Amino acid sequence: MDQIEITRPDDWHLHLRDGSMLTSTVPPSASVFRRAIIMPNLKPPVTTLGLAEAYYERILGAAPGDSDFQPLMTLYLTDETTPDEIQAAADSGLVFGCKLYPAGATTHSDSGVRDPGQIDHLYAALQRAGLPLLVHGEVTDTDVDIFDREKVFIDRHLTGIRERFPELRMVFEHVTTREAVQFVKEAGENTGATVTPQHLLLNRNDLLVGGIRPHNYCLPILKRDIHQHSIQQAVLEGHPRFFLGTDSAPHVRDHKETACGCAGCFSAPAALPLYAHFFDQHDALDRLEAFASLNGADFYGLPRNEDSIQLIRTDWTIPDRVSIDDDSLVPFLSGQQLEWQIAPHRL
Ligand code: NCD
Ligand code: ZN
């Protein structure tokens, strides 16, 4: 097979940042994906409908002229968020989820929720409004090992939230462990999961063996291969509640290649070809479309896209740099050769 055509995909987890950076981050996503869930961890965070509306306009302002890209906005939950704000967001038709960042768990999460066990009034409001809860599922206790933080979060918080709010739609973002995969599978139809290219293609050896590779550093951190295999298996078996979420998370080069580098892989420049590469490696290209283009829309209760996109088998190399202002971004797996590319009319 040298060419495949699939329903146009959506990205259910994307960081675009703000300001002048939008000029570099919006086009690579908008030229491939029809819709994207836009993560709200700006500085200051997108905590209200008003802030989400303004951010939406700034994103559209950076989209190419002929683009029909639709940003699906989200709110950032804090200890001060009110049920009324959640209801207003749900009624707006512009906001498609609320993100739970445990305070201190990841980039720009310091305004996040201090104790996810203390915001039942917000889970109740989300459940009532029919708005999905998007979860960064890691505890932040200094005494919990970084490789165990996802598992502990499930035991300490998610299992209880799932039981107390059975109708709440919940997306376990960027799953990284077999415990998370198992939780999502067992939790029933209101629980879905996004899967990133890095957690499908890599494990912690790719971060640490032969030298430390800052561009493979993201949160939740890459785990050992048994966890990678469990995620791969859920995706390859075509489980309908696992779907594409790149978690493309750009940080300028100086903030990645430094003594204390930021977490996040800028995967947008090659995201869809990277997923295609993964499915092709496993002789499962026929499963790409549901994962990339159908499962997420179905889970969010949104219409599937009606147009399509073509991928062609042709060698190309992920670029070394994307320039922004007087700095640059280093794409995830830059320099790597890939054998799938998006057909030119979409580039
Ligand atoms: C994300 C970012 O930089 O905004 N970083 C990351 O490593 N994934 C935040 C997040 O999704 O955790
Ligand atoms: Zn993210």
Side-chain angles (χ1 to χ4, degrees):
M1 216 188 328
D2 288 329
Q3 185 170 324
I4 51 170
E5 181 160 342
I6 60 168
T7 301
R8 184 132 167 236
D10 303 301
D11 184 350
W12 300 98
H13 185 134
L14 176 63
H15 301 269
L16 291 174
R17 313 306 189 202
D18 205 355
S20 60
M21 213 151 161
L22 292 174
T23 321
S24 307
T25 58
V26 175
S29 292
S31 59
V32 175
F33 299 100
R34 169 79 172 82
R35 299 169 287 201
I37 285 279
I38 308 300
M39 288 298 162
N41 59 332
L42 305 183
K43 271 237 157 307
V46 182
T47 49
T48 64
L49 175 58
L51 289 169
E53 284 167 345
Y55 186 29
Y56 175 85
E57 293 301 333
R58 296 197 296 280
I59 293 168
L60 285 188
D66 58 348
S67 159
D68 56 0
F69 181 60
Q70 189 191 357
L72 307 174
M73 307 310 290
T74 61
L75 293 193
Y76 181 118
L77 297 176
T78 73
D79 291 332
E80 278 75 50
T81 303
T82 63
D84 283 351
E85 191 71 53
I86 289 174
Q87 190 60 52
D91 294 342
S92 71
L94 187 104
V95 172
F96 291 82
C98 288
K99 183 74 187 276
L100 167 60
Y101 288 106
T106 188
T107 308
H108 301 163
S109 63
D110 34 309
S111 313
V113 170
R114 268 188 300 257
D115 182 357
Q118 295 294 322
I119 55 164
D120 273 10
H121 59 298
L122 301 185
Y123 304 138
L126 286 164
Q127 178 170 260
R128 203 163 44 239
L131 205 57
L133 172 71
L134 316 181
V135 184
H136 185 109
E138 289 191 288
V139 298
T140 55
D141 314 48
T142 45
D143 61 339
V144 177
D145 189 276
I146 188 166
F147 291 100
D148 297 333
R149 289 179 173 202
E150 189 171 271
K151 178 187 165 5
V152 174
F153 189 90
I154 298 169
D155 298 340
R156 194 181 292 171
H157 297 296
L158 270 193
T159 307
I161 298 170
R162 185 66 294 163
E163 276 168 22
R164 295 198 299 285
F165 302 95
E167 300 303 320
L168 174 64
R169 259 179 308 148
M170 193 155 91
V171 182
F172 199 149
E173 300 293 344
H174 40 51
V175 284
T176 68
T177 56
R178 69 177 167 193
E179 288 83 3
V181 169
Q182 189 183 353
F183 174 84
V184 171
K185 285 183 172 177
E186 290 173 359
E189 59 176 6
N190 289 328
T191 307
T194 49
V195 181
T196 74
Q198 64 267 25
H199 294 105
L200 278 176
L201 292 167
L202 307 182
N203 60 57
R204 68 194 198 181
N205 279 3
D206 301 295
L207 177 65
L208 297 170
V209 172
I212 189 157
R213 291 168 209 279
H215 299 291
N216 293 348
Y217 172 58
C218 68
L219 289 171
I221 198 159
L222 293 168
K223 306 296 192 296
R224 48 167 85 238
D225 63 351
I226 52 164
H227 297 287
Q228 179 194 11
H229 295 153
S230 172
I231 300 163
Q232 290 178 335
Q233 195 189 338
V235 167
L236 291 171
E237 76 191 25
H239 193 292
R241 286 184 281 106
F242 289 77
F243 40 87
L244 183 156
T246 61
D247 193 17
S248 181
H251 293 273
V252 293
R253 186 176 169 215
D254 285 355
H255 293 175
K256 292 289 293 175
E257 299 177 9
T258 179
C260 183
C262 295
C265 302
F266 179 41
S267 58
L272 190 60
L274 282 169
Y275 286 110
H277 169 75
F278 165 74
F279 280 89
D280 196 18
Q281 260 184 344
H282 295 270
D283 224 0
L285 269 175
D286 59 322
R287 300 277 158 91
L288 172 66
E289 181 179 44
F291 173 78
S293 314
L294 310 180
N295 295 351
D298 293 353
F299 184 82
Y300 272 83
L302 294 171
R304 293 175 172 185
N305 295 324
E306 284 173 6
D307 55 338
S308 61
I309 193 166
Q310 278 185 352
L311 287 143
I312 46 178
R313 196 187 288 280
T314 177
D315 286 342
W316 70 291
T317 305
I318 302 178
D320 281 343
R321 299 273 184 279
V322 171
S323 60
I324 67 157
D325 301 330
D326 5 341
D327 219 317
S328 64
L329 301 169
V330 179
F332 176 58
L333 297 182
S334 70
Q336 177 159 321
Q337 242 205 341
L338 285 181
E339 65 276 37
W340 286 98
Q341 179 57 297
I342 294 156
H345 69 278
R346 280 278 175 213
L347 291 178

